[in-house]
Amino acid sequence: MEYFDARRKPHNVGKIIAALVLTTLCIFVLKQSPGFGGNSVFSRHEPGVTHVLVTGGAGYIGSHASLRLLKDNYRVTIVDNLSRGNMGAVKVLKELFPQPGRLQFIFADLGDQKSVNKIFSENAFDAVMHFAAVAYVGESTLEPLRYYHNITSNTLLILEAMASHGVKTLIYSSTCATYGEPEKMPITEATPQFPINPYGKAKKMAEDIILDFSKSKGADMAVMILRYFNVIGSDPEGRLGEAPRPELREHGRISGACFDAALGVIPGLKVKGTDYPTADGTCIRDYIDVTDLVDAHVKALNKAEPGKVGIYNVGTGRGRSVNEFVDACKKATGVDIKIEYLSRRPGDYAEVYSDPTKINKELNWTAQYTDLTESLSVAWRWQKLHPRGYGTN
């Protein structure tokens, strides 16, 4: 037996060493695989891949931005509490980009500091596109505290999380409502900001917080603030559209109201305000197609530089009256929409349109979809196919 054992020991040692090597190799491979220990490709930085957190990515603009980012091979994490967004939009995106490591959705409220910090601690973000916000002027006059909390306070929480976790790039979704009602048109980025409603005020406060933080020692932030004008249209290929909650229709965009009237969901279109100091008495706005808008975001992301802040108006540079818009909507839908004229909407302003010179020059961005009737026609095709929006969440 002693002789037999002496000859077995080297053989057993060899087996043990081989088993240890194999086990170590398996552990290494597993660690590199998505899902090991609860981790995934979203939790680590990867050379050549830019991981973008899209807040409010289930909403109208956020979903279109997510689509564009995914098409351009970015890695995308959508965070949304679905209070205004639609899970149906996320499902469309997941069906279009089912490959592992492309898109993930996290249901969370950005007003919950613990949730926000957990999201940042478990994911390796390279940049944040912050869309999430309530965004109706009329509603903001009725529920101002909700707007300050949702827009200003939540943006502060996002910035704190970015600072804690070393995320240095922010593309911020702002609005021309921060300018209020300027004395001169068109609006440039140097136009003084005097917002006249809680929505615009809350956005300006958020901008101020971002700017102050970007100037702080060691921040080294790459910041782009995009001030939108009035967004219309939808994905030209018909994959996404705008689907606001039914209870929010009275606060929604004029395009949604036009389509509801054309579909017979409501008896007609209510035009609020006919006594403004404009050529036909109705408000004048600069309507920007959502496809152009998300193109501006991608260009802003590509041009963002550490230690620098870019502020840009995103509009066509041309103002159209509400009456002009309604005429275009009638042409796009082929329906003679009934119009009811009412008094002005609280907190609204007469005339707003942009001077896009700065964004044209610095980001090489120019609006391409400037035919109002065509943009509305594209959106109308989606609306006809989705009369109930995306359906239930």
Side-chain angles (χ1 to χ4, degrees), residues 15-81:
K15 282 186 175 181
I16 292 169
I17 291 173
L20 286 172
V21 170
L22 183 60
T23 301
T24 302
L25 181 61
C26 287
I27 291 172
F28 176 79
V29 171
L30 283 170
K31 281 186 174 181
Q32 305 307 308
S33 303
F36 179 80
N39 294 324
S40 72
V41 292
F42 294 94
S43 67
R44 60 178 181 268
H45 294 286
E46 186 175 326
V49 178
T50 301
H51 183 184
V52 183
L53 166 61
V54 180
T55 70
Y60 171 42
I61 300 170
S63 63
H64 282 78
S66 297
L67 174 60
R68 171 62 188 273
L69 289 168
L70 289 162
K71 284 173 63 179
D72 288 359
N73 294 315
Y74 289 87
R75 177 171 290 157
V76 173
T77 291
I78 290 173
V79 173
D80 204 300
N81 67 359

Side-chain angles (χ1 to χ4, degrees), residues 294-316:
V294 298
D295 183 54
H297 279 78
V298 173
K299 284 185 165 64
L301 178 59
N302 291 335
K303 289 281 188 176
E305 295 182 39
K308 293 186 178 181
V309 175
I311 299 176
Y312 301 98
N313 290 335
V314 189
T316 65

